């Protein structure tokens, strides 16, 4: 799996593995950047508050009747196609961005409003990378094209599954490590989304994948993210090797 943490000890034993999580061990310690760091089930007040906020975001369904949701859609269009006026919230124009139909609201059912927030965060924070990936949709019949926006919604859902944030305890090291990162940066989820998108796009292009292979590419993307999150010198999303793909 490449470079991974050096597992050192838990509260009740001298050496452990990820399989021990959820079997009575309250903390696990491992070495990161030469220092011992403890990952515990019990969250700090800051972690609890930021996790609570993130969970609230994840539970918001997209509601086309809400003005703030309509405004977010318009903001996404403006960030994606500067200078190009959106005729209507229901329009064939959305297909240019890779939505499945004229009404993008129907594509948010799987991941909710946070998937729109993720796309908007990507567009505004890493605009060059966002535009580079989006504009390849304008290619002429390339078999490796995929629906950009719909792929983005699927990436949000994949990350939600990978982190399993609704679990009562951090059952995996990936989730526990992410919660540490969340305490360092409230936008850790959104940053991880941006990394996931460029990783997925890179794997797609390298494989010259077809749309029928999308789920397989998404699974490989998840494995790559998990591998990097568990590297010993990755303390923030920005430390992930694939973060550099955003520039």
């Amino acid at each position: 799996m490449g470079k991974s943490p050096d597992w050192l000890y838990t509260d009740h034993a001298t050496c452990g593995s990820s399989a021990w999580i959820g079997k009575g061990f309250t903390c696990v310690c491992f070495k990161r950047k030469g220092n011992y760091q403890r990952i515990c089930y019990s969250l700090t007040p800051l972690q609890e508050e930021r996790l609570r906020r993130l969970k609230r975001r994840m539970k918001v369904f997209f509601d086309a009747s809400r003005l703030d949701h309509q405004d977010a859609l318009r903001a996404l269009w403006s960030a994606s196609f500067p200078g190009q006026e959106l005729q209507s919230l229901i329009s064939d124009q959305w297909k240019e961005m890779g939505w499945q139909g004229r009404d993008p609201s129907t594509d948010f059912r799987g991941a909710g409003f946070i998937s729109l927030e993720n796309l908007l965060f990507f567009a505004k924070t890493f605009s060059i990378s966002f535009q580079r990936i989006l504009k390849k949709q304008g290619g002429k019949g390339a078999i490796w094209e995929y629906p950009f926006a719909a792929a983005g919604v699927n990436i949000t859902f994949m990350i939600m599954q990978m982190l399993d944030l609704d679990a009562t305890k951090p059952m995996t090291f990936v989730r526990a490590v992410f919660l540490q990162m969340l305490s360092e940066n409230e936008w850790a989820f959104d940053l991880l989304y941006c990394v996931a998108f460029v990783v997925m796009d890179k794997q797609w292009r390298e494989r010259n994948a077809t749309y029928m292979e999308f789920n397989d590419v998404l699974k490989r993307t998840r494995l790559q993210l998990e591998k990097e999150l568990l590297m010993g010198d990755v303390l923030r999303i920005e430390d992930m090797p694939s973060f550099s793909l955003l520039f």
Side-chain angles (χ1 to χ4, degrees):
M1 187 167 148
K3 188 175 181 183
S4 60
D6 300 316
W7 306 112
L8 298 172
Y9 63 88
T10 67
D11 283 350
H12 305 291
T14 57
C15 184
S17 70
S18 57
W20 290 7
I21 291 291
K23 296 185 179 180
F25 301 98
T26 58
C27 293
V28 65
C29 294
F30 56 95
K31 195 172 186 178
R32 312 191 83 172
K33 287 192 174 178
N35 298 315
Y36 296 127
Q37 183 175 348
R38 173 171 292 196
I39 297 291
C40 298
Y41 289 156
S42 56
L43 304 180
T44 67
L46 179 60
Q47 286 175 317
E48 288 182 345
E49 175 58 26
R50 289 187 171 176
L51 178 58
R52 191 157 42 242
R53 292 178 190 172
L54 180 54
K55 284 184 175 181
R56 281 201 297 266
R57 290 177 63 197
M58 291 167 53
K59 293 186 186 320
V60 177
F61 294 102
F62 183 86
D63 184 347
S65 68
R66 287 182 53 168
L67 294 180
D68 56 334
H69 288 199
Q70 295 176 17
D71 289 342
L73 262 183
R74 292 189 182 95
L76 178 62
W77 177 267
S78 297
S80 302
F81 303 101
Q84 185 175 338
E85 183 181 355
L86 177 66
Q87 302 300 321
S88 171
L89 287 179
I90 299 178
S91 167
D92 284 331
Q93 288 176 286
W94 286 111
K95 296 179 183 180
E96 297 178 38
M97 193 178 175
W99 298 103
Q100 296 184 64
R102 302 178 68 248
D103 183 1
S105 67
T106 60
D107 287 350
F108 292 122
R109 292 169 184 161
F113 184 62
I114 192 173
S115 58
L116 172 54
E117 291 181 314
N118 288 158
L119 278 166
L120 191 54
F121 181 90
F122 188 14
K124 291 186 173 182
T125 309
F126 303 102
S127 59
I128 294 177
S129 180
F130 179 90
Q131 289 292 330
R132 171 176 53 81
I133 298 176
L134 171 64
K135 291 301 166 57
K136 82 176 191 314
Q137 292 302 108
K140 297 181 179 179
I143 61 171
W144 47 264
E145 289 180 359
Y146 56 86
F148 176 88
V153 174
N154 278 277
I155 290 171
T156 296
F157 186 70
M158 178 270 289
I159 296 174
M160 290 165 63
Q161 288 186 313
M162 178 182 76
L163 297 178
D164 193 22
L165 296 178
D166 280 327
T168 56
K169 291 183 178 180
M171 304 301 289
T172 66
F173 283 123
V174 168
R175 181 179 187 269
V177 167
F178 174 78
L179 291 178
Q180 290 290 106
M181 294 176 171
L182 190 62
S183 66
E184 297 293 329
N185 189 334
E186 187 169 7
W187 300 103
F189 185 94
D190 302 81
L191 287 170
L192 182 58
Y193 171 88
C194 297
V195 174
F197 213 129
V198 291
V199 169
M200 188 277 294
D201 183 74
K202 181 175 182 289
Q203 294 200 14
W204 186 280
R205 288 183 288 106
E206 289 178 346
R207 294 186 53 168
N208 196 31
T210 65
Y211 187 71
M212 296 298 293
E213 298 173 279
F214 180 79
N215 286 337
D216 184 53
V217 172
L218 204 59
K219 289 177 183 176
R220 291 173 179 269
T221 299
R222 172 172 173 168
L223 290 174
Q224 181 65 27
L225 296 178
E226 291 174 335
K227 173 183 175 181
E228 293 189 19
L229 286 170
L230 293 179
M231 288 179 174
D233 56 353
V234 173
L235 302 179
R236 310 169 303 155
I237 299 297
E238 294 91 331
D239 296 330
M240 297 174 67
S242 292
F243 187 80
S244 62
L245 296 174
L246 287 164
F247 302 95

